[in-house]
Amino acid sequence: MAAASARSGAARYPIRDQIAIVGLGSTEFSRDAGGRSPASLACEASIAAIHDAGLSKADIDGVVGVLEPGAPRANQMAALLELPNVTHHGGPMPVAMFGLIDAMTAIFSGQCDTVLLYYAFTRLPWNSRSAAQDPFRRYVMMGGGTAKPPMPESMDPSAAYTAWASRYIHEFGAKREDFGRIALNMRANALRNPKAVMRTPLSMEQYLAARMIRDPLCMLDMDVPVDGADAFILTTTERAKRMTKNPVVVHAATAGMVGRNDEDQLPSLARHGQHVVVESLRARGELWLDDVDVFFPYDGFSIITLGWIENMGYCKPGGAGRFMQEHWDEKSGRVLIDGRVPMNPHGGSLSEGASRGTGHLREAVTQLRGEAGARQVENARTALIGCGGFFFNSQGAILRRI
Amino acid sequence: MAESVSDAALVERFPWVQIDHDNKHLFRGWLDRRLLIQRCQDCGRFQHPPKPICPACWSSRIEPTPVSGRGVVHLAMFLRQGAPAPGVDYEKGPHPVVTVELEEQPGLRFTSTVVDAPLADIRIGLPVELAWIDRYGAPFPAFRPRAGER
């Protein structure tokens, strides 16, 4: 493994360790929540998170609702919960860490003291056949607005990952098994997560036989659309210490992108958003790979996970397949880095469900609280999250127990 | 020439595209079967997709400029399912989608499909040239392998 403790050029970062996550709330994740709106799911998760933090309406003065398709906006959520004194509200774009960072900075700057951060997911007509049958989902579009119907030659982010996967295979001679190990790892972990939607064991033979969707990626390289919601309560670390015996603090969190982030114009696999994220995390944090007890590489598409393993520095570019082989735990059928550090112990987006990183964040907090039950990583103190993909949406965070 | 086509008529010719003041030249070019890529008149850099300024030097002097349409396949995927389009039948076989690096400038890329080629020939590194096809009654720039360079 790469030497991985030293910081690479410190950045001004006064927010380090100053914001804590003190509440978690989550619905069931399912292929079909059956007649429930995204707002209903968001309410359930949000109320659970506020209760988990031991708080009530008047304590929440910040509301951050990520702009997932169909999800209620922050002002709507404040009305749904009748929060009486809100001094900050915002609607960052997906993926998960944009919401986390907005909540953190709002609290740290003093715009508010305690934030409800929520995410709601709903299967969309374009990514779910059953959702296409639901008349109430007909007008829920990705990104909203008056989008024209896409053309086959679209390089929207979801297709572009497959295109760049072709480049990865071309440059490094990667095999389908290298991608398959990502899927197998997530599925093996999901078997221990009652919330996961995909909980039947998966073999390499099954992976290789799975239906191609966009060659070179098959169905099992792509995350599973779900209905569900996650919510988090954030406040100052100082306040968190008085509220709970097990606060989890955000050591560092960052977004990262390069200027040429139009999907098909990305400079190369050697220079994109993930690289900026890693440089930023290393400059802003004091913890790195040798300190990490549990690793959360995003897996909306398997190629993104291969990228995070390599770009975090666990191995060289093109080496993720071999790295997983070398750190494969035959007994549990999954990656355990150095026999110890699991990768997405909740099953990731591929097998828990497509929560665009909120599942990763929720599981990181759960593990650091020591509340992960059968999935618990012994004495987990530090979690590393690489969230989102290559383009506008690369993000990262280091969380730790204090 | 398509310069005489009004903005309203242009929008009607391409009902499936979001046309705006920054990309209208690209689609006017298609009507004349010309691939026009923006080029900065100050620093000389080509850019795609269309933008209101040159992102490199921030000049507003950007000119839609004909390019050769020759290039090399940089990314390649084969859709087994996807958005509908005339002439695209996923039941009959995978639909190739490629990003081509144009010969005018390293890193300048244009995404479309490939015609007149067996699927097995479509791979990263394949030299291609423009091949205009019809889509919804308007010209659409696709690629085909360059003769003798397979």
Side-chain angles (χ1 to χ4, degrees):
Chain A
M1 189 189 298
S5 290
R7 297 175 66 197
S8 64
R12 186 186 67 84
Y13 199 58
I15 201 172
R16 185 187 310 127
D17 294 332
Q18 296 306 303
I19 305 299
I21 299 173
V22 294
L24 289 183
S26 188
T27 65
E28 289 297 306
F29 275 37
S30 72
R31 304 301 297 273
D32 187 354
R36 289 188 65 187
S37 65
S40 162
L41 297 164
C43 285
E44 180 187 331
S46 297
I47 292 166
I50 295 168
H51 287 161
D52 182 54
L55 298 175
S56 55
K57 285 186 182 191
D59 300 312
I60 306 297
D61 57 357
V63 184
V64 175
V66 169
L67 297 177
E68 290 288 346
R73 303 300 181 242
N75 61 304
Q76 295 169 324
M77 179 55 79
L80 285 163
L81 302 180
E82 273 198 0
L83 303 176
N85 305 298
V86 171
T87 58
H88 173 85
H89 55 101
M93 64 200 298
V95 195
M97 295 302 133
F98 291 130
L100 180 80
I101 293 166
D102 183 67
M104 287 168 61
T105 51
I107 296 165
F108 190 69
S109 67
Q111 294 302 132
C112 57
D113 289 323
T114 303
V115 169
L116 163 65
L117 165 65
Y118 66 91
Y119 309 79
F121 308 97
T122 189
R123 292 162 303 115
L124 301 171
W126 62 267
N127 66 14
S128 159
R129 255 172 222 169
S130 58
Q133 308 300 317
D134 179 354
F136 296 128
R137 294 176 198 252
R138 201 170 293 158
Y139 300 107
V140 182
M141 296 294 289
M142 193 74 187
T146 55
K148 300 269 185 172
M151 295 297 284
E153 296 79 13
S154 159
M155 268 290 158
D156 69 38
S158 61
Y161 288 113
T162 305
W164 283 101
S166 77
R167 190 76 201 173
Y168 183 85
I169 293 166
H170 173 79
E171 289 185 10
F172 300 112
K175 302 280 179 270
R176 288 203 66 215
E177 285 81 354
D178 298 332
F179 294 77
R181 261 178 213 101
I182 299 288
L184 266 56
N185 171 79
M186 303 312 163
R187 189 62 62 85
N189 281 325
L191 301 180
R192 305 161 184 231
N193 176 9
K195 198 184 282 293
V197 296
M198 304 300 280
R199 278 188 289 149
T200 51
L202 179 67
S203 69
M204 187 61 83
E205 291 67 33
Q206 287 169 313
Y207 170 83
L208 294 171
R211 187 159 58 93
M212 273 290 170
I213 304 290
R214 304 180 186 110
D215 192 339
L217 296 189
C218 71
M219 203 170 64
L220 297 174
D221 291 302
M222 305 178 177
D223 59 8
V224 186
V226 288
D227 293 342
D230 272 310
F232 303 83
I233 306 298
L234 290 87
T235 192
T236 63
T237 298
E238 187 188 358
R239 192 150 177 260
K241 285 176 182 166
R242 297 197 299 269
M243 289 170 64
T244 171
K245 62 182 189 319
N246 59 358
V248 171
V249 306
V250 184
H251 181 66
T254 190
M257 63 181 171
V258 295
R260 282 179 53 200
N261 58 59
D262 295 304
E263 285 79 5
D264 53 0
Q265 311 292 319
L266 202 66
S268 74
L269 288 171
R271 189 65 192 167
H272 54 63
Q274 290 185 346
H275 302 86
V276 181
V277 165
V278 171
E279 288 158 9
S280 172
L281 279 183
R282 297 199 67 181
R284 286 173 171 74
E286 295 173 333
L287 302 167
W288 197 236
L289 302 188
D290 289 348
D291 306 297
V292 170
D293 301 304
V294 53
F295 177 38
F296 292 93
Y298 184 66
D299 57 333
F301 293 90
S302 55
I303 180 66
I304 298 174
T305 320
L306 293 168
W308 277 124
I309 293 170
E310 295 168 12
N311 296 325
M312 287 290 191
Y314 279 110
C315 62
K316 291 196 174 113
R322 186 169 171 194
F323 177 83
M324 285 190 289
Q325 263 184 294
E326 288 171 357
H327 295 266
W328 195 258
D329 180 65
E330 291 293 344
K331 188 161 157 260
S332 57
R334 61 183 182 147
V335 171
L336 282 179
I337 300 167
D338 297 332
R340 188 178 71 85
V341 178
M343 215 166 69
N344 292 346
H346 62 305
S349 289
L350 287 176
S351 279
E352 186 194 66
S355 61
R356 278 185 278 285
T358 74
H360 299 68
L361 181 61
R362 176 200 346 107
E363 179 75 358
V365 175
T366 305
Q367 288 282 351
L368 297 176
R369 282 178 164 190
E371 295 175 351
R375 308 187 305 279
Q376 183 63 45
V377 175
E378 199 181 337
N379 198 29
R381 301 195 64 86
T382 304
L384 173 63
I385 304 175
C387 194
F390 299 165
F391 312 119
F392 70 91
N393 52 5
S394 307
Q395 317 166 340
I398 301 166
L399 270 56
R400 70 184 187 100
R401 190 171 80 196
I402 54 168
Chain B
M1 293 292 275
E3 274 122 68
S4 59
V5 175
S6 72
D7 288 351
L10 186 67
V11 167
E12 279 170 28
R13 289 298 302 273
F14 295 99
W16 44 276
V17 190
Q18 196 85 43
I19 298 184
D20 58 32
H21 287 295
D22 298 324
N23 67 15
K24 62 189 177 188
H25 309 285
L26 179 68
F27 297 103
R28 282 211 164 84
W30 290 15
L31 290 178
D32 294 330
R33 297 177 183 254
R34 292 200 304 164
L35 184 58
L36 302 177
I37 300 291
Q38 288 182 337
R39 186 170 202 187
C40 178
Q41 300 304 293
D42 284 313
C43 76
R45 202 179 83 157
F46 285 96
Q47 64 180 16
H48 185 75
K51 293 181 170 61
I53 62 165
C54 169
C57 76
W58 298 355
S59 167
S60 298
R61 297 202 320 124
I62 42 176
E63 199 65 41
T65 304
V67 293
S68 68
R70 292 156 58 91
V72 171
V73 173
H74 192 77
L75 310 173
M77 61 180 163
F78 302 88
L79 307 186
R80 307 295 178 95
Q81 62 186 66
V88 178
D89 184 349
Y90 300 103
E91 299 296 319
K92 281 189 182 162
H95 179 64
V97 175
V98 297
T99 295
V100 170
E101 186 138 320
L102 301 174
E103 68 180 6
E104 276 76 10
Q105 180 179 294
L108 178 69
R109 306 189 194 117
F110 191 89
T111 296
S112 186
T113 187
V114 180
V115 296
D116 301 335
L119 285 178
D121 284 5
I122 302 170
R123 60 183 192 283
I124 291 174
L126 178 73
V128 293
E129 62 188 13
L130 269 183
W132 290 93
I133 62 174
D134 178 277
R135 178 151 303 168
Y136 294 116
F140 179 80
F143 294 97
R144 67 173 163 242
R146 275 187 245 157
E149 293 191 53
R150 255 172 233 197

Coordinates of all heavy atoms in Angstrom, one line a residue, chain A residues 200-262:
Chain A
T200 N -29.6 -11.6 -2.5 CA -29.3 -13.0 -2.9 C -27.8 -13.1 -3.2 O -27.3 -12.1 -3.9 CB -30.2 -13.4 -4.1 OG1 -30.0 -12.4 -5.1 CG2 -31.6 -13.5 -3.7
P201 N -27.2 -14.1 -2.8 CA -25.7 -14.3 -3.1 C -25.5 -14.1 -4.6 O -26.3 -14.5 -5.4 CB -25.4 -15.6 -2.6 CG -26.4 -16.0 -1.6 CD -27.7 -15.3 -2.1
L202 N -24.3 -13.6 -4.9 CA -23.9 -13.4 -6.4 C -22.6 -14.0 -6.6 O -21.6 -13.8 -5.9 CB -23.9 -11.9 -6.6 CG -23.5 -11.5 -8.0 CD1 -24.6 -11.8 -9.0 CD2 -23.2 -9.9 -8.1
S203 N -22.5 -14.8 -7.7 CA -21.3 -15.5 -8.1 C -20.7 -14.8 -9.3 O -21.4 -14.0 -10.0 CB -21.5 -16.9 -8.4 OG -22.3 -17.0 -9.6
M204 N -19.4 -15.0 -9.6 CA -18.7 -14.4 -10.8 C -19.4 -15.0 -12.0 O -19.6 -14.2 -13.0 CB -17.2 -14.7 -10.8 CG -16.5 -14.1 -11.9 SD -16.5 -12.2 -11.8 CE -15.2 -11.9 -10.6
E205 N -19.8 -16.2 -12.0 CA -20.5 -16.8 -13.2 C -21.8 -16.0 -13.5 O -22.1 -15.7 -14.6 CB -20.8 -18.3 -13.0 CG -19.6 -19.2 -12.9 CD -18.7 -19.0 -11.7 OE1 -19.3 -18.6 -10.6 OE2 -17.5 -19.1 -11.8
Q206 N -22.5 -15.7 -12.4 CA -23.8 -14.9 -12.6 C -23.5 -13.5 -13.1 O -24.2 -13.0 -13.9 CB -24.5 -14.9 -11.3 CG -25.2 -16.2 -10.9 CD -25.7 -16.2 -9.5 OE1 -25.1 -15.7 -8.6 NE2 -27.0 -16.6 -9.3
Y207 N -22.4 -12.9 -12.6 CA -22.0 -11.6 -13.0 C -21.7 -11.6 -14.5 O -22.2 -10.8 -15.3 CB -20.8 -11.1 -12.3 CG -20.3 -9.8 -12.9 CD1 -20.8 -8.5 -12.6 CD2 -19.2 -9.8 -13.8 CE1 -20.4 -7.4 -13.2 CE2 -18.8 -8.7 -14.5 CZ -19.3 -7.5 -14.2 OH -18.9 -6.4 -14.8
L208 N -20.9 -12.6 -14.9 CA -20.5 -12.7 -16.3 C -21.6 -13.0 -17.3 O -21.6 -12.6 -18.5 CB -19.4 -13.7 -16.5 CG -18.0 -13.4 -15.8 CD1 -17.1 -14.6 -15.8 CD2 -17.4 -12.1 -16.4
A209 N -22.7 -13.6 -16.7 CA -23.8 -13.9 -17.6 C -24.9 -12.9 -17.5 O -25.9 -13.0 -18.2 CB -24.4 -15.3 -17.1
A210 N -24.7 -11.8 -16.7 CA -25.8 -10.8 -16.6 C -26.0 -10.0 -17.9 O -25.1 -9.9 -18.7 CB -25.4 -9.8 -15.5
R211 N -27.2 -9.5 -18.0 CA -27.6 -8.8 -19.3 C -26.7 -7.6 -19.5 O -26.6 -6.8 -18.6 CB -29.1 -8.4 -19.1 CG -29.7 -7.9 -20.4 CD -31.2 -8.0 -20.3 NE -31.8 -7.4 -19.1 CZ -32.2 -6.1 -19.1 NH1 -32.2 -5.4 -20.1 NH2 -32.8 -5.6 -18.0
M212 N -26.2 -7.4 -20.7 CA -25.5 -6.2 -21.0 C -26.5 -5.1 -21.2 O -27.6 -5.3 -21.8 CB -24.7 -6.4 -22.4 CG -23.3 -7.0 -22.2 SD -22.2 -5.8 -21.5 CE -20.8 -6.8 -21.2
I213 N -26.2 -3.9 -20.7 CA -27.1 -2.8 -20.9 C -26.4 -1.8 -21.8 O -26.9 -1.5 -22.9 CB -27.3 -2.1 -19.5 CG1 -27.9 -3.0 -18.5 CG2 -28.3 -0.8 -19.8 CD1 -29.3 -3.5 -18.8
R214 N -25.3 -1.3 -21.4 CA -24.4 -0.6 -22.3 C -23.1 -1.2 -22.3 O -22.3 -1.1 -21.4 CB -24.3 0.9 -21.9 CG -25.6 1.6 -21.7 CD -25.3 3.1 -21.2 NE -26.5 3.8 -20.8 CZ -26.8 4.1 -19.6 NH1 -26.0 3.8 -18.6 NH2 -27.9 4.8 -19.3
D215 N -22.8 -2.0 -23.3 CA -21.5 -2.8 -23.4 C -20.4 -1.7 -23.4 O -20.4 -0.8 -24.2 CB -21.6 -3.6 -24.7 CG -20.5 -4.6 -24.8 OD1 -19.5 -4.4 -24.1 OD2 -20.6 -5.5 -25.6
P216 N -19.4 -1.8 -22.5 CA -18.9 -2.9 -21.7 C -19.6 -3.1 -20.3 O -19.1 -3.9 -19.6 CB -17.4 -2.7 -21.6 CG -17.3 -1.2 -21.6 CD -18.4 -0.7 -22.5
L217 N -20.6 -2.3 -20.0 CA -21.1 -2.5 -18.6 C -22.5 -3.2 -18.7 O -23.3 -3.0 -19.6 CB -21.3 -1.1 -17.9 CG -20.0 -0.3 -17.6 CD1 -20.3 0.9 -16.8 CD2 -18.9 -1.2 -17.0
C218 N -22.6 -4.1 -17.7 CA -23.9 -4.9 -17.7 C -24.7 -4.4 -16.5 O -24.4 -3.5 -15.8 CB -23.5 -6.4 -17.5 SG -22.9 -6.8 -15.9
M219 N -25.9 -5.1 -16.4 CA -26.8 -4.7 -15.4 C -26.2 -4.6 -14.0 O -26.6 -3.8 -13.2 CB -28.0 -5.7 -15.4 CG -29.3 -5.2 -14.8 SD -30.6 -6.4 -15.2 CE -30.0 -7.8 -14.2
L220 N -25.3 -5.5 -13.7 CA -24.7 -5.6 -12.3 C -23.6 -4.6 -12.1 O -23.0 -4.5 -11.0 CB -24.3 -7.0 -12.0 CG -25.4 -8.1 -12.0 CD1 -24.8 -9.5 -11.9 CD2 -26.4 -7.8 -10.9
D221 N -23.3 -3.8 -13.1 CA -22.3 -2.7 -13.0 C -23.0 -1.4 -12.6 O -22.4 -0.4 -12.5 CB -21.5 -2.5 -14.3 CG -20.6 -3.6 -14.6 OD1 -19.7 -3.9 -13.8 OD2 -20.7 -4.2 -15.7
M222 N -24.3 -1.5 -12.6 CA -25.1 -0.2 -12.4 C -26.0 -0.4 -11.2 O -26.5 -1.4 -10.9 CB -26.0 -0.1 -13.7 CG -25.2 -0.1 -15.0 SD -26.2 0.1 -16.4 CE -24.9 0.2 -17.7
D223 N -26.1 0.7 -10.5 CA -26.8 0.7 -9.2 C -28.3 0.4 -9.4 O -28.9 0.6 -10.5 CB -26.5 1.9 -8.3 CG -26.9 3.2 -8.9 OD1 -27.5 3.2 -10.0 OD2 -26.6 4.2 -8.3
V224 N -29.0 0.1 -8.3 CA -30.4 -0.4 -8.4 C -31.3 0.8 -8.0 O -31.2 1.3 -6.8 CB -30.6 -1.5 -7.4 CG1 -32.0 -2.1 -7.5 CG2 -29.6 -2.6 -7.6
P225 N -32.2 1.2 -8.9 CA -33.1 2.3 -8.5 C -34.0 1.9 -7.3 O -34.5 0.7 -7.3 CB -33.9 2.6 -9.7 CG -33.2 1.9 -10.8 CD -32.4 0.8 -10.2
V226 N -34.2 2.8 -6.3 CA -35.0 2.4 -5.2 C -35.9 3.6 -4.8 O -35.6 4.8 -5.2 CB -34.1 2.1 -3.9 CG1 -33.5 0.7 -4.1 CG2 -33.1 3.2 -3.6
D227 N -36.9 3.3 -4.0 CA -37.6 4.3 -3.3 C -37.0 4.3 -1.8 O -36.9 3.2 -1.2 CB -39.1 4.0 -3.2 CG -39.8 4.1 -4.6 OD1 -39.2 4.7 -5.5 OD2 -40.8 3.5 -4.7
G228 N -36.8 5.5 -1.3 CA -36.3 5.5 0.1 C -35.8 6.9 0.4 O -35.8 7.8 -0.4
A229 N -35.4 7.1 1.7 CA -35.0 8.4 2.2 C -34.0 8.2 3.3 O -34.1 7.3 4.1 CB -36.1 9.3 2.6
D230 N -33.0 9.2 3.4 CA -32.1 9.2 4.5 C -32.1 10.6 5.0 O -32.2 11.6 4.3 CB -30.7 8.9 4.0 CG -30.3 7.4 4.0 OD1 -30.6 6.8 5.1 OD2 -29.9 6.9 3.0
A231 N -31.9 10.8 6.3 CA -31.8 12.1 6.9 C -30.7 12.1 8.0 O -30.5 11.1 8.6 CB -33.2 12.5 7.5
F232 N -30.2 13.3 8.2 CA -29.1 13.5 9.1 C -29.3 14.8 9.9 O -29.8 15.7 9.3 CB -27.7 13.6 8.4 CG -27.4 12.4 7.5 CD1 -28.0 12.3 6.2 CD2 -26.7 11.3 8.0 CE1 -27.7 11.2 5.4 CE2 -26.4 10.2 7.1 CZ -26.9 10.1 5.9
I233 N -28.9 14.8 11.2 CA -28.9 16.0 11.9 C -27.4 16.4 12.2 O -26.7 15.6 12.7 CB -29.6 15.9 13.3 CG1 -31.1 15.3 13.0 CG2 -29.7 17.2 14.0 CD1 -31.9 16.2 12.2
L234 N -27.1 17.6 11.9 CA -25.7 18.1 12.1 C -25.8 19.3 13.1 O -26.7 20.1 13.0 CB -25.1 18.6 10.8 CG -24.7 17.5 9.8 CD1 -25.9 17.1 8.9 CD2 -23.5 17.9 9.0
T235 N -24.7 19.4 13.9 CA -24.6 20.6 14.7 C -23.1 20.8 15.0 O -22.3 20.1 14.5 CB -25.5 20.5 16.0 OG1 -25.5 21.7 16.7 CG2 -24.9 19.4 17.0
T236 N -22.8 21.8 15.9 CA -21.4 22.0 16.2 C -20.9 20.8 17.1 O -21.6 20.2 17.8 CB -21.2 23.3 17.0 OG1 -21.9 23.2 18.3 CG2 -21.7 24.5 16.2
T237 N -19.6 20.5 16.9 CA -19.0 19.4 17.7 C -19.1 19.8 19.2 O -19.4 18.9 20.0 CB -17.6 19.3 17.3 OG1 -17.5 18.9 15.9 CG2 -16.9 18.2 18.1
E238 N -19.0 21.0 19.5 CA -19.1 21.5 20.9 C -20.4 21.1 21.5 O -20.5 20.5 22.6 CB -18.8 23.0 20.9 CG -18.7 23.6 22.3 CD -18.7 25.1 22.3 OE1 -18.7 25.7 21.1 OE2 -18.7 25.7 23.3
R239 N -21.5 21.4 20.7 CA -22.8 21.1 21.2 C -23.0 19.6 21.2 O -23.7 19.0 22.1 CB -23.8 21.8 20.3 CG -25.2 21.8 20.8 CD -26.0 23.0 20.3 NE -27.4 23.0 20.7 CZ -28.4 22.6 19.9 NH1 -28.1 22.2 18.7 NH2 -29.6 22.5 20.4
A240 N -22.5 18.9 20.2 CA -22.7 17.5 20.1 C -22.1 16.7 21.3 O -22.7 15.7 21.8 CB -22.0 17.0 18.8
K241 N -21.1 17.2 21.8 CA -20.4 16.5 23.0 C -21.4 16.6 24.2 O -21.4 15.7 25.0 CB -19.1 17.2 23.4 CG -18.0 16.9 22.4 CD -16.7 17.6 22.8 CE -15.6 17.4 21.8 NZ -14.5 18.4 22.0
R242 N -22.2 17.6 24.3 CA -23.2 17.7 25.4 C -24.4 16.9 25.1 O -25.2 16.5 26.0 CB -23.6 19.2 25.6 CG -22.4 20.1 26.0 CD -22.9 21.4 26.6 NE -23.8 22.2 25.7 CZ -23.2 23.1 24.9 NH1 -22.0 23.4 24.9 NH2 -24.0 23.8 24.1
M243 N -24.7 16.6 23.8 CA -25.9 15.9 23.4 C -25.8 14.4 23.4 O -26.8 13.7 23.6 CB -26.3 16.4 22.0 CG -26.8 17.8 21.9 SD -27.0 18.3 20.2 CE -28.3 17.1 19.7
T244 N -24.7 13.9 23.0 CA -24.6 12.5 22.8 C -23.2 11.9 23.3 O -22.2 12.7 23.3 CB -24.8 12.1 21.3 OG1 -24.5 10.7 21.1 CG2 -23.9 13.0 20.4
K245 N -23.2 10.7 23.6 CA -22.0 10.1 24.1 C -21.1 9.6 22.9 O -20.0 9.2 23.0 CB -22.2 8.9 25.0 CG -23.0 7.8 24.5 CD -23.2 6.7 25.5 CE -23.8 5.4 25.0 NZ -24.9 5.5 24.0
N246 N -21.7 9.5 21.7 CA -20.9 9.0 20.6 C -21.0 9.9 19.3 O -21.4 9.5 18.3 CB -21.3 7.6 20.2 CG -22.8 7.5 19.9 OD1 -23.5 8.5 20.0 ND2 -23.3 6.3 19.5
P247 N -20.6 11.2 19.5 CA -20.7 12.0 18.3 C -19.7 11.6 17.2 O -18.6 11.1 17.5 CB -20.3 13.4 18.8 CG -19.6 13.2 20.1 CD -20.0 11.9 20.6
V248 N -20.1 11.7 16.0 CA -19.2 11.5 14.8 C -18.9 12.8 14.2 O -19.9 13.5 13.8 CB -19.9 10.5 13.9 CG1 -19.1 10.4 12.6 CG2 -20.1 9.1 14.5
V249 N -17.7 13.1 14.0 CA -17.4 14.5 13.5 C -16.9 14.3 12.0 O -16.3 13.3 11.6 CB -16.3 15.2 14.3 CG1 -16.8 15.3 15.8 CG2 -15.0 14.6 14.2
V250 N -17.1 15.4 11.3 CA -16.6 15.5 9.9 C -15.2 16.1 10.0 O -15.0 17.2 10.3 CB -17.5 16.3 9.0 CG1 -16.9 16.3 7.6 CG2 -18.9 15.9 9.1
H251 N -14.2 15.2 9.8 CA -12.8 15.7 9.8 C -12.5 16.6 8.7 O -11.9 17.6 8.8 CB -11.9 14.4 9.8 CG -10.4 14.7 9.9 ND1 -9.9 15.3 11.0 CD2 -9.4 14.5 9.0 CE1 -8.6 15.5 10.8 NE2 -8.3 15.0 9.6
A252 N -12.9 16.2 7.5 CA -12.8 17.0 6.3 C -13.8 16.5 5.3 O -14.2 15.3 5.2 CB -11.4 16.8 5.7
A253 N -14.3 17.4 4.4 CA -15.2 17.1 3.4 C -14.9 18.1 2.2 O -14.6 19.2 2.4 CB -16.6 17.2 3.8
T254 N -15.1 17.6 1.0 CA -14.7 18.4 -0.1 C -15.4 17.9 -1.4 O -15.8 16.8 -1.5 CB -13.2 18.4 -0.4 OG1 -12.9 19.4 -1.4 CG2 -12.7 17.0 -0.9
A255 N -15.7 18.9 -2.3 CA -16.0 18.5 -3.7 C -14.8 18.7 -4.5 O -13.7 19.1 -4.0 CB -17.1 19.5 -4.2
G256 N -14.8 18.3 -5.7 CA -13.7 18.4 -6.6 C -14.0 18.2 -8.1 O -14.7 17.3 -8.4
M257 N -13.6 19.2 -8.9 CA -13.8 18.9 -10.3 C -12.7 19.7 -11.1 O -12.1 20.6 -10.6 CB -15.2 19.3 -10.8 CG -15.5 20.8 -10.7 SD -17.2 21.1 -11.2 CE -17.4 22.8 -10.7
V258 N -12.5 19.2 -12.3 CA -11.6 19.9 -13.2 C -12.4 20.8 -14.2 O -13.6 20.7 -14.3 CB -10.8 19.0 -14.1 CG1 -9.8 18.1 -13.2 CG2 -11.6 18.1 -14.9
G259 N -11.8 21.8 -14.8 CA -12.5 22.8 -15.6 C -13.2 22.1 -16.8 O -14.3 22.4 -17.1
R260 N -12.5 21.2 -17.5 CA -13.1 20.5 -18.6 C -13.9 19.3 -18.1 O -13.5 18.2 -18.2 CB -12.1 20.1 -19.6 CG -11.6 21.3 -20.4 CD -10.5 20.9 -21.4 NE -10.9 19.8 -22.3 CZ -10.1 19.0 -22.9 NH1 -8.8 19.2 -22.8 NH2 -10.5 18.0 -23.6
N261 N -15.1 19.6 -17.5 CA -15.9 18.5 -17.0 C -17.1 18.1 -17.8 O -17.9 17.3 -17.4 CB -16.3 18.8 -15.5 CG -17.1 20.1 -15.4 OD1 -18.2 20.2 -16.0 ND2 -16.6 21.1 -14.7
D262 N -17.3 18.7 -19.0 CA -18.3 18.1 -20.0 C -17.9 16.6 -20.1 O -16.7 16.3 -20.4 CB -18.2 18.8 -21.3 CG -18.6 20.3 -21.2 OD1 -19.7 20.6 -20.8 OD2 -17.8 21.1 -21.6

